[in-house]
Amino acid sequence: MHNNKTHSHHLDEQSVADLPAHYRHGIHAVLVASLLALLAGCGGSSGEATTAPKPEPVQPVKPSKPASINVSNFKDNDTIRYSLPILAGTVSSEVKSVSITTTEKVYVADVVEGNFKAVIPLHVGANDISFSAGGQSGNIRINYVAADNPKKVRMMYAIAADDDGRFVAEAGMPNSMEDAKTRIALQALLMQSATAEMLYKGASQRVTYALVEDGYGKPIISTLRLPLTRAQLYAKTDNEIYQAIANALQAEPASSNFKNMVTMGFSSYQNGKIVGHAALGGGNLGIFGSLHLYACPASLDQLSASFGNAKKIDALVLPDDSGNRETYWAQCATGMGASLHELGHTFDLEHTPTGIMSRGFDNFNRLFMLREPGFAPVLTTQNEGGAVWDPISIPTLVNSAWFKR
């Protein structure tokens, strides 16, 4: 008998089974009706029946587009008047290198923390350069117009009257006069490129001087034979050596359109002492010794290895003019940078508080590299130390007749 006082709102299967048949049929009907009402009310808080929304069509997942490789210091279709631009850019930090393709060659540049630098030779005309690394890509066009400025820098190699032109080098290293000229020709291009890149950083104007070149656009390194022997030159002061070279130039075809940058092949190292070396510039003449050439590259392919060579200089055998850093890479950097410093004087630049016209020439390598032995920070274009033109120097250079846009 059903007792209302003990009524529970829960009926189990056995309880329903014990009821008379007409009760069981009624309960089932109530339950079905309640369930239908509940389902109809799921469409909203009002309890009114609503139509269930149609499911959104599933869109196929498209593969993400690979990130592009960006060149940060050149714009597409830029035009320059020198053949060896320094390209700097960014790429995914996961990759270790980037391939750079021109119509002539494929180059590989190291990537450090998502940054890369590369020195890429151009041919006259439009140069389409493509980049690829880890599924990423990029491209840029740089136009190279041969310099037509009649005012040029003439690179020269001075030798003594009794000299065959050999430069100081470690045993077994090729060091003939032709070997010297090969290294100086590359140095000339790097100095020219460095000048342009530093002016771009300091004045947003990528201008530089023109070089005396052959019909193939390669720097000509002229030989300047002095009327003095090595012994006579070694007995002279720096200023006297400068004057001896200036006097010898008077016998050369005169041209007011030349600035002469002379590397002294007769510089030597005797009994632990540097002789026949000087670093001076002004007027139409800059001079610097050849004692850095043993540490410098003979080809562009050797550039990174030379500026990354942490080998210690054996001062018992070879001269050390590295700014007290005592390593091959520093010897090369200081020699090239100091040569540009002396050439800067011929453009009427004075010494400055910072930059190349100070001791910043020791950082010449940083323009081309992302790493420096013994120096932890990455050498991005914003972190190249003294490899800049001081603001004092910039107006003189950009307004010079020797610098043409």
Side-chain angles (χ1 to χ4, degrees):
M1 183 174 181
H2 188 70
N3 186 343
N4 289 331
K5 290 184 179 180
T6 59
H7 177 66
S8 167
H9 293 281
H10 174 73
L11 291 175
D12 56 27
E13 293 181 1
Q14 184 61 46
S15 299
V16 173
D18 292 339
L19 292 174
H22 64 280
Y23 279 112
R24 293 199 303 273
H25 294 159
I27 289 172
H28 289 160
V30 171
L31 289 174
V32 170
S34 299
L35 180 58
L36 290 174
L38 178 63
L39 291 174
C42 289
S45 59
S46 65
E48 298 177 355
T50 60
T51 303
K54 294 182 179 180
E56 293 289 335
V58 177
Q59 298 292 335
V61 178
K62 295 181 180 180
S64 59
K65 185 179 179 180
S68 61
I69 299 173
N70 298 306
V71 177
S72 58
N73 63 334
F74 275 88
K75 298 186 296 294
D76 190 44
N77 218 34
D78 271 353
T79 298
I80 60 176
R81 291 182 174 270
Y82 59 101
S83 63
L84 201 62
I86 307 166
L87 304 183
T90 57
V91 65
S92 169
S93 59
E94 286 79 21
V95 301
K96 300 299 182 184
S97 64
V98 56
S99 295
I100 304 172
T101 304
T102 68
T103 55
E104 285 83 18
K105 189 175 179 179
V106 177
Y107 302 86
V108 178
D110 290 338
V111 173
V112 180
E113 296 182 13
N115 298 278
F116 68 88
K117 287 182 182 178
V119 184
I120 304 298
L122 304 182
H123 59 75
V124 173
N127 292 259
D128 292 314
I129 306 170
S130 61
F131 306 82
S132 62
Q136 301 167 79
S137 62
N139 58 78
I140 192 170
R141 170 173 286 185
I142 300 177
N143 304 298
Y144 168 39
V145 177
D148 59 359
N149 192 340
K151 296 183 177 296
K152 300 179 186 299
V153 169
R154 178 170 58 177
M155 303 294 290
M156 307 191 79
Y157 189 64
I159 60 175
D162 58 347
D163 205 340
D164 64 0
R166 293 183 181 275
F167 62 93
V168 173
E170 61 187 25
M173 177 182 176
N175 67 334
S176 70
M177 181 160 64
E178 288 308 309
D179 292 317
K181 288 185 175 184
T182 298
R183 285 168 168 76
I184 295 168
L186 178 56
Q187 173 181 308
L189 293 173
L190 296 176
M191 289 166 56
Q192 183 188 48
S193 299
T195 296
E197 194 60 29
M198 291 187 294
L199 277 176
Y200 179 74
K201 287 197 298 183
S204 298
Q205 298 185 51
R206 191 176 273 107
V207 293
T208 190
Y209 52 84
L211 290 163
V212 176
E213 299 173 337
D214 63 18
Y216 300 97
K218 306 300 183 184
I220 295 174
I221 314 301
S222 302
T223 303
L224 180 66
R225 184 175 289 277
L226 304 179
L228 303 171
T229 65
R230 280 185 172 242
Q232 290 173 319
L233 288 165
Y234 296 163
K236 293 185 176 297
T237 65
D238 292 3
N239 286 330
E240 289 171 340
I241 292 174
Y242 182 92
Q243 192 58 53
I245 294 173
N247 292 341
L249 280 173
Q250 292 179 2
E252 293 289 308
S255 175
S256 60
N257 283 335
F258 285 159
K259 298 287 189 184
N260 301 286
M261 184 62 221
V262 177
T263 302
M264 299 177 292
F266 53 82
S267 300
S268 191
Y269 191 59
Q270 299 179 351
N271 301 317
K273 181 181 179 181
I274 292 175
V275 294
H277 173 81
L280 294 168
N284 72 338
L285 174 62
I287 66 172
F288 194 76
S290 57
L291 299 178
H292 63 296
L293 294 182
Y294 73 84
C296 290
S299 68
L300 191 59
D301 291 340
Q302 299 173 4
L303 181 64
S304 293
S306 294
F307 279 150
N309 188 356
K311 181 179 178 180
K312 187 176 176 62
I313 297 169
D314 182 355
L316 295 176
V317 179
L318 294 170
D320 177 9
D321 187 24
S322 65
N324 300 315
R325 293 172 293 180
E326 303 177 346
T327 52
Y328 276 52
W329 72 264
Q331 182 81 354
C332 180
T334 292
M336 288 190 181
S339 296
L340 181 55
H341 174 107
E342 301 310 330
L343 182 61
H345 284 310
T346 73
F347 297 129
D348 300 322
L349 299 183
E350 301 293 336
H351 289 146
T352 54
T354 65
I356 292 294
M357 299 311 294
S358 182
R359 285 295 306 198
F361 59 73
D362 288 323
N363 298 148
F364 184 83
N365 59 300
R366 296 185 180 183
L367 289 161
F368 308 92
M369 301 291 287
L370 288 169
R371 290 292 195 196
E372 178 180 291
F375 186 74
V378 179
L379 302 174
T380 64
T381 54
Q382 293 79 36
N383 189 34
E384 293 169 341
V388 296
W389 292 117
D390 187 277
I392 295 172
S393 301
I394 289 174
T396 301
L397 294 175
V398 297
N399 293 311
S400 172
W402 299 85
F403 287 66
K404 186 174 181 180
R405 288 152 188 79

